[in-house]
Amino acid sequence: AALQALEQNPKESATVGHAEAELAGAERKLEQFQKQTCFNPLQGMGYQWLCVLPLSVHGYLALRGMMAHPAFFQDFVINQTLWLDSLVLTDPYGVLPVLSAFTLLANMELNSPPAHAEEDEETALYMRFAYRGAVLTFVPVTAMLPSAALVFITTNAAYTALATWAFRHYAWEKPMLDRRWRL
């Protein structure tokens, strides 16, 4: 039915043909860009796939194993750690939720790239306010998490912030792109 409608309306058919030609041209341009710059959409995802994901899965499996065999892990539940009654319970003073929010905010503040144009500056500022608000909004929600989960979140956020900052300041080099690839 759609094909018959296109055959009956030549203007619409020409518009579809023009859009397909534009799409094909954009695909060729993207392929040329990827070859020339060695660009990969998954570039930079190694840390997430090789560090964060395995640590998260292992942490989940460890906690699941502890729940499945509570007799073997009584010390984890019963012993007091610092000011916490147990790592399985929530933080009674709310220190860990605030600390995890602080490390997430520090990661954003340390590692956000600067805006390059004036119109980007307003968007970047808006996104910073949105991110700050989201992190602070989740402090009451994370206050209900077990302390062990908050220790993991805080440690991971601090490590990520420091590793990303060190990489950006000591190892990363800004790619040199031809003018024709700049938007």
Side-chain angles (χ1 to χ4, degrees):
L3 186 58
Q4 289 175 349
L6 284 176
E7 288 173 357
Q8 291 174 358
N9 191 349
K11 283 185 180 179
E12 205 172 303
S13 179
T15 304
V16 170
H18 179 69
E20 287 177 356
E22 280 186 19
L23 179 62
E27 286 176 350
R28 280 192 304 274
K29 215 172 174 184
L30 177 63
E31 188 176 316
Q32 186 182 13
F33 174 76
Q34 287 177 331
K35 283 181 183 176
Q36 184 178 358
T37 61
C38 298
F39 172 77
N40 181 352
L42 297 178
Q43 195 171 357
M45 294 294 294
Y47 173 71
Q48 281 77 18
W49 289 106
L50 299 175
C51 294
V52 175
L53 185 66
L55 282 174
S56 300
V57 169
H58 282 102
Y60 168 75
L61 292 175
L63 287 174
R64 194 177 98 184
M66 289 177 192
M67 289 188 302
H69 307 289
F72 296 118
F73 299 99
Q74 288 179 0
D75 291 341
F76 181 75
V77 176
I78 297 171
N79 288 346
Q80 186 175 1
T81 306
L82 299 173
W83 69 92
L84 305 168
D85 294 331
S86 170
L87 287 172
V88 177
L89 300 175
T90 60
D91 183 357
Y93 303 114
V95 173
L96 287 174
V98 171
L99 189 61
S100 69
F102 173 74
T103 55
L104 291 169
L105 286 172
N107 186 10
M108 191 253 330
E109 296 294 336
L110 276 174
N111 299 314
S112 292
H116 296 294
E118 284 190 30
E119 61 265 0
D120 292 343
E121 190 173 321
E122 185 178 337
T123 304
L125 183 63
Y126 172 76
M127 288 307 294
R128 277 192 172 186
F129 284 138
Y131 187 77
R132 289 172 185 161
V135 168
L136 295 176
T137 302
F138 280 103
V139 168
V141 175
T142 58
M144 294 182 265
L145 290 175
S147 298
L150 288 169
V151 167
F152 175 79
I153 291 169
T154 304
T155 308
N156 184 41
Y159 172 78
T160 301
L162 291 174
T164 306
W165 180 85
F167 177 77
R168 283 202 172 165
H169 284 80
Y170 298 112
W172 187 71
E173 293 179 16
K174 187 174 181 175
M176 301 303 291
L177 298 177
D178 291 345
R179 283 232 179 257
R180 64 186 174 133
W181 298 123
R182 295 185 184 165
L183 298 175

